Amino acid sequence: MQVDEVSKTYREGPAVTRVLHAASLELAAGETTSLVGVSGSGKSTLLGLIAGLMVPESGRVFFDGQDITDLDDTARARLRAGRIGIVLQSGNLIPFLTAVENVELAIELGGGGRAAPRARELLSDFGLAGRLHHLPRRLSGGEAQRVSVAVALANEPDLLLADEVTGELDSANAEQVMEVISDASRDRGLTVLFVTHSRDLAARAARRLRLVRGEVRPV
């Protein structure tokens, strides 16, 4: 994964805010990278560009050698469904589906087979065998985020993007969620980029980056 001098500006009426300015980074396969920065520095925007949820005003984003900024919305959505997992601070669970149904749906949308047994196995690996049939509102914060990680990993992606997934959790649950992500990276050869405000969590990554004035810099 390579991001090459991307820029992004937001406009609201006469106000213009440039959040990214020629930002570049490269993610090595199988490596875990943390990204820190003050609120409003553009961290979530950068993850959105990497995921193909938006396109930059200038610059390029390459995934496995392919310039995804040249793809249309449908092609980028197909790429995300099969090869990029995303976990958000607010979670990515459908509230009226149980934990196992959320994972099954992700597998089915990605075109995978054997959704039910694969979903149960994945959730069991994350210590959630006793929560398969619980709705999100009946899960603790840490449990819900672990289910969200399972949804993101349901189709065995090559890249996991995690945006402040521990921001609303206590230290014990935050540690548990990060342990799940670390184990997935190690066991599956997964490339991980996670955004955090926590210096302690950022230090767990093999590589640490900081977003400053719209540019990506090493820590």
Side-chain angles (χ1 to χ4, degrees):
M1 164 60 72
Q2 181 179 350
V3 178
D4 187 16
E5 298 191 339
V6 297
S7 296
K8 186 68 176 177
T9 301
Y10 292 107
R11 293 176 172 82
E12 185 173 350
V16 177
T17 304
R18 171 165 283 187
V19 292
L20 296 175
H21 177 63
S24 299
L25 66 84
E26 188 168 350
L27 301 176
E31 185 176 65
T32 297
T33 301
S34 63
L35 178 66
V36 298
V38 300
S39 296
S41 61
K43 302 182 299 296
S44 295
T45 297
L46 182 58
L47 260 62
L49 292 173
I50 293 172
L53 294 169
M54 61 184 82
V55 294
E57 291 157 358
S58 62
R60 299 288 180 179
V61 179
F62 296 92
F63 187 91
D64 200 16
Q66 181 180 31
D67 185 354
I68 69 172
T69 58
D70 285 337
L71 301 178
D72 61 22
D73 291 346
T74 300
R76 292 199 307 274
R78 189 179 303 117
L79 176 68
R80 281 193 301 277
R83 303 192 63 186
I84 301 176
I86 305 171
V87 188
L88 304 175
Q89 180 177 353
S90 58
N92 55 345
L93 303 180
I94 298 173
F96 53 82
L97 296 181
T98 65
V100 72
E101 288 169 343
N102 267 280
V103 181
E104 288 174 3
L105 179 61
I107 295 170
E108 291 164 357
L109 290 176
R114 301 183 63 250
R118 287 177 60 197
R120 288 195 296 270
E121 179 182 4
L122 190 57
L123 289 171
S124 296
D125 288 346
F126 289 176
L128 294 165
R131 295 291 186 268
L132 298 182
H133 304 293
H134 285 55
L135 293 171
R137 68 174 182 271
R138 295 184 58 201
L139 301 171
S140 71
E143 289 170 344
Q145 282 295 45
R146 278 184 280 159
V147 177
S148 293
V149 174
V151 169
L153 298 180
N155 292 304
E156 301 184 351
D158 301 301
L159 173 65
L160 177 67
L161 302 173
D163 190 2
E164 291 285 7
V165 295
T166 62
E168 298 180 355
L169 303 179
D170 59 36
S171 59
N173 275 307
E175 179 67 25
Q176 196 170 42
V177 170
M178 288 307 303
E179 195 65 39
V180 166
I181 292 175
S182 297
D183 289 348
S185 177
R186 183 186 64 248
D187 298 342
R188 304 165 190 261
L190 181 69
T191 304
V192 177
L193 174 62
F194 69 91
V195 165
T196 182
H197 278 106
S198 168
R199 292 184 178 181
D200 290 340
L201 292 180
R204 295 176 57 129
R207 182 167 170 240
R208 292 180 287 167
L209 302 174
R210 180 181 298 275
L211 195 55
V212 182
R213 291 190 289 276
E215 298 179 357
V216 178
R217 302 175 183 176
V219 173

